[in-house]
Amino acid sequence: SYRNNNVKDIKNLKFIYGTKDKLARFNPENEIHANFDDQDFEIMDDTGHFPYFERPKELSSILEKFIIGNYEK
């Protein structure tokens, strides 16, 4: 589809999923995931839809590594 053809051109993107998220579940068979590498995904254990409330330190660490890693490129 048009939308998915453009997705592959997006750079500096990180998908963050929680294992207990009932609204946005990680599905490796989703066609959008075919356009990205494993390193573009982060799965947070024992976390639902609101990682910034449930595990703020872990989320901050993930975001910090992502931002710094992309800044240094």
Side-chain angles (χ1 to χ4, degrees):
S1 75
Y2 171 78
R3 186 179 84 208
N4 287 334
N5 287 336
N6 290 331
V7 169
K8 66 182 178 210
D9 297 328
I10 297 173
K11 304 292 183 222
N12 301 326
L13 183 66
K14 175 72 94 176
F15 294 91
I16 301 172
Y17 290 96
T19 57
K20 291 186 173 182
D21 193 337
K22 294 181 181 177
L23 296 174
R25 293 184 177 158
F26 175 69
N27 178 359
E29 296 178 9
N30 185 321
E31 63 183 279
I32 196 170
H33 296 140
N35 294 307
F36 296 94
D37 297 323
D38 288 343
Q39 69 216 25
D40 297 322
F41 298 93
E42 192 73 42
I43 310 296
M44 295 178 67
D45 291 328
D46 200 32
T47 305
H49 194 68
F50 301 100
Y52 40 87
F53 290 127
E54 300 169 56
R55 302 182 69 134
K57 288 181 182 179
E58 183 179 347
L59 179 62
S60 292
S61 176
I62 291 168
L63 293 174
E64 183 178 317
K65 289 175 187 173
F66 175 72
I67 292 167
I68 290 171
N70 284 305
Y71 179 74
E72 293 175 347
K73 287 183 180 179

